[in-house]
Amino acid sequence: MFTVQNHTDFTERQTAIIVGLSEKNKKVEGLLGELDAQLDGQITDLLKEGDISSKKNKISKIHTFGKTAFKRIFVVGLGREEKLNFEELRKVFGRVAKTVQESRYTSVAIALDTFLTDKVDVLDAAHALGEAIPMATYMYDGYKKKSNEPEIKLENVTIVTEADNEEIKASLNVGYHFGTGTNSARTLVNLPGNMLTATDMANYASELSEKYGFELEILEKEDMEKLGMGALLAVNKGSVEPPKMIVMKYQGKDEWTDVIGLVGKGITFDTGGYSIKPKDGIVGMKSDMGGAAAVLGAMEVIGELKPEQNVLAVIASTDNMISGNAFKPDDVITSMSGKTIEVLNTDAEGRLVLADAITYAKQHGADYLVDVATLTGGVIIALGNHTTGALTNNEDLFEQILEASYEAGEEMWRLPIFEHAKERVRNSKVADLNNSPGRDGHAIFAAAFIGEFAEETPWVHLDIAGTATTKSNHDLGPAGGTGVMVRTLVTFVLRFGETEEE
């Protein structure tokens, strides 16, 4: 998709070139100056008359009428240069990609050096561009009847820069895989529950493993029964679809040590069980496997980039349905760890499947655990729809996750797990734990429950109930699944241990 050139001497006529213009550098100089000269000063005139603007997000299109190697010039307003950090530049590139797609161009050139600032060097800009293009142009049409109009996609992007070609290509490539892995997670979240069962998810993981050479294990229902995975099996009791415990191993080191365990909640549809959701709350519950999608998307990127780390992915997948056989409030179940659980809320099922998944991840040698789950409405009440809730039992591990989220541009905020929250989770007259002590602090109780199974293993819990989907289009994608935490997880894996070494 990407071609890198160190000059502007194009041998073939180009559809368009995209040039950045900040408020600080309003002067028509450099490449834009060369183009201005070829257009007899028309760019200068348009800038003076206000038809071209350096204001942020203002994109102006100029027709060159055959006077340059480019049929059109897009001038992109960058606003105040001091505010243009990596995250903002990625959004700018997203807006540019959407504009190009709407114009139905299959190829463009981008003058990358015109988008640099004191805060963003050329390699960061290349990564931001590589990431933004696939994310911003992503579409999910679902099962609508296709129109007869041919689909036109942006296929070729020429990067014009004075920087080293190979370094720029490498940064573009990393960013591009970050973007495509996020898109894969988006598609999984967008799929309806009848099109993505636990079996379908296991098949998807199998294809991923075959492509990238991961070691794969799929536990069937009978395997879970032998291993005593009573928590996951309880959630599955009301379903006609068999559950799956999906395990993928990526070994980037000679020895299976320092293993990072990524654990995903894969509830393919959540009715709430006998604690049934209201009609407004049940629509959209196809997205209750957003944590599993994030883990699968992250494993795709890891497969492409091949970091020198050991990564274990564990996904517990089933739907949560109602039938004469379904589990009920007041039931007592026994988890794989041996801990018994009093079920007070069948709609608090995610923490149950994660309990067995985390226990199994530890048995497979996970030294560090990060679980991702669309777990509680409580986290939305606390933090809204743009911020992922994080809870932990280990400061050092959390700091690494937090740094990764900053770098990925995915908002995160930590909530506490105090001793009194643990005590309420342990407060049952008939079992070791209860799965839902109350609505107050619900997101915290959910994490405290999962922490009972992480035990002493360093662990971070990421509640993406508010961030896994969005209701509106944005610069880096459409409404629907967001693919949230794919980029944070991958960045964490790529940077793992750097904070400790410093």
Side-chain angles (χ1 to χ4, degrees):
M1 182 178 199
F2 298 107
T3 305
V4 183
Q5 291 189 201
N6 286 119
H7 56 83
T8 56
D9 183 20
F10 293 94
T11 55
E12 296 181 12
R13 195 101 185 278
Q14 300 287 313
T15 303
I17 187 164
I18 296 161
V19 183
L21 182 67
S22 70
E23 290 184 3
K24 181 180 178 182
N25 296 321
K26 289 182 181 179
K27 296 177 183 177
V28 178
E29 54 189 10
L31 174 59
L32 199 58
E34 293 176 25
L35 295 169
D36 187 40
Q38 293 171 24
L39 292 173
D40 303 320
Q42 287 185 32
I43 294 176
T44 299
D45 293 341
L46 290 169
L47 188 60
K48 287 178 181 177
E49 293 169 9
D51 292 312
I52 296 174
S53 174
S54 60
K55 289 184 178 179
K56 186 180 176 184
N57 294 330
K58 178 73 173 178
I59 301 177
S60 309
K61 181 164 69 173
I62 304 167
H63 291 272
T64 64
F65 302 106
K67 293 182 178 180
T68 76
F70 311 99
K71 295 178 183 178
R72 302 164 191 84
I73 301 168
F74 285 85
V75 180
V76 181
L78 302 178
R80 294 170 61 182
E81 189 175 300
E82 63 271 18
K83 290 191 173 183
L84 192 67
N85 56 23
F86 177 85
E87 187 176 347
E88 290 302 313
L89 182 59
R90 181 169 47 204
K91 292 178 183 177
V92 168
F93 282 140
R95 189 170 289 245
V96 167
K98 282 178 178 283
T99 301
V100 170
Q101 181 165 275
E102 288 164 4
S103 300
R104 297 173 64 82
Y105 299 155
T106 59
S107 64
V108 294
I110 295 179
L112 188 64
D113 296 351
T114 63
F115 290 88
L116 308 184
T117 71
D118 292 338
K119 293 182 178 180
V120 182
D121 64 22
V122 69
L123 296 181
D124 284 339
H127 179 110
L129 177 63
E131 197 174 298
I133 288 176
M135 288 181 66
T137 57
Y138 170 82
M139 290 183 290
Y140 177 75
D141 295 327
Y143 302 90
K144 289 185 177 181
K145 187 177 179 181
K146 305 295 182 185
S147 69
N148 293 325
E149 190 175 346
E151 190 176 357
I152 296 176
K153 290 185 176 182
L154 179 60
E155 296 175 352
N156 300 299
V157 180
T158 301
I159 311 301
V160 183
T161 177
E162 294 303 312
D164 180 85
N165 281 19
E166 293 306 314
E167 290 184 353
I168 294 297
K169 283 180 183 176
S171 286
L172 285 164
N173 184 58
V174 172
Y176 183 76
H177 289 308
F178 271 54
T180 53
T182 300
N183 287 348
S184 294
R186 286 171 166 176
T187 297
L188 289 168
V189 170
N190 289 333
L191 283 168
N194 62 326
M195 300 294 185
L196 184 70
T197 63
T199 299
D200 294 325
M201 191 178 292
N203 292 338
Y204 182 93
S206 179
E207 291 171 9
L208 209 60
S209 299
E210 186 174 346
K211 181 176 181 180
Y212 296 113
F214 301 146
E215 184 181 326
L216 176 71
E217 179 185 31
I218 306 290
L219 295 185
E220 304 294 343
K221 185 174 183 179
E222 52 269 29
D223 301 318
M224 299 175 202
E225 288 169 345
K226 290 176 184 175
L227 291 167
M229 293 184 174
L232 172 54
L233 288 168
V235 177
N236 177 253
K237 280 184 70 177
S239 179
V240 296
E241 292 288 341
K244 304 286 179 178
M245 183 70 84
I246 302 163
V247 182
M248 293 181 287
K249 287 184 179 180
Y250 166 79
Q251 189 163 344
K253 296 180 177 181
D254 292 337
E255 301 292 329
W256 188 245
T257 56
D258 291 327
V259 179
I260 300 167
L262 305 179
V263 181
K265 172 188 172 184
I267 301 295
T268 57
F269 193 84
D270 183 18
T271 65
Y274 275 108
S275 305
I276 192 167
K277 295 177 183 290
K279 63 179 181 179
D280 293 335
I282 205 168
V283 175
M285 281 300 106
K286 65 180 184 179
S287 67
D288 207 21
M289 34 58 65
V295 171
L296 289 166
M299 291 302 289
E300 177 185 323
V301 185
I302 287 164
E304 290 285 352
L305 301 184
K306 297 178 172 56
E308 293 181 5
Q309 305 288 359
N310 291 330
V311 183
L312 173 74
V314 180
I315 292 166
S317 187
T318 178
D319 49 10
N320 183 23
M321 304 297 285
I322 301 171
S323 77
N325 196 43
F327 79 135
K328 312 171 296 299
D330 291 338
D331 282 0
V332 174
I333 59 179
T334 304
S335 67
M336 185 186 183
S337 72
K339 292 179 181 179
T340 56
I341 304 160
E342 181 185 13
V343 177
L344 299 181
N345 181 359
T346 62
D347 195 22
E349 87 298 331
R351 67 203 70 176
L352 297 177
V353 303
L354 287 171
D356 283 346
I358 279 178
T359 300
Y360 201 55
K362 287 162 63 178
Q363 288 193 6
H364 271 280
D367 298 296
Y368 308 91
L369 292 165
V370 183
D371 82 80
V372 193
T374 49
L375 210 64
T376 65
V379 81
I380 303 174
I381 302 301
L383 300 176
N385 288 304
H386 298 285
T387 308
T388 293
L391 300 97
T392 188
N393 66 1
N394 186 279
E395 297 292 333
D396 291 338
L397 186 65
F398 172 72
E399 284 300 320
Q400 291 196 58
I401 293 287
L402 185 63
E403 287 294 324
S405 74
Y406 282 146
E407 190 170 331
E410 296 185 309
E411 286 183 17
M412 180 184 297
W413 195 257
R414 183 179 174 184
L415 297 171
I417 305 179
F418 291 115
E419 197 62 33
H420 56 78
K422 297 177 185 178
E423 289 171 1
R424 284 185 64 177
V425 166
R426 295 168 185 161
N427 183 19
S428 169
K429 294 180 180 179
V430 295
D432 299 319
L433 307 170
N434 78 80
N435 79 327
S436 186
R439 290 181 60 84
D440 56 316
H442 193 208
I444 294 171
F445 294 138
F449 180 91
I450 297 167
E452 293 293 312
F453 299 88
E455 298 176 315
E456 300 306 313
T457 304
W459 155 77
V460 173
H461 163 65
L462 301 174
D463 193 335
I464 59 170
T467 54
T469 59
T470 180
K471 293 180 179 178
S472 56
N473 296 334
H474 52 98
D475 288 338
L476 289 170
T482 60
V484 72
M485 290 297 118
V486 169
R487 290 169 294 149
T488 293
L489 292 178
V490 175
T491 303
F492 164 66
V493 169
L494 292 175
R495 304 275 186 268
F496 183 71
E498 288 183 6
T499 306
E500 291 180 5
E501 291 169 9
E502 290 168 3

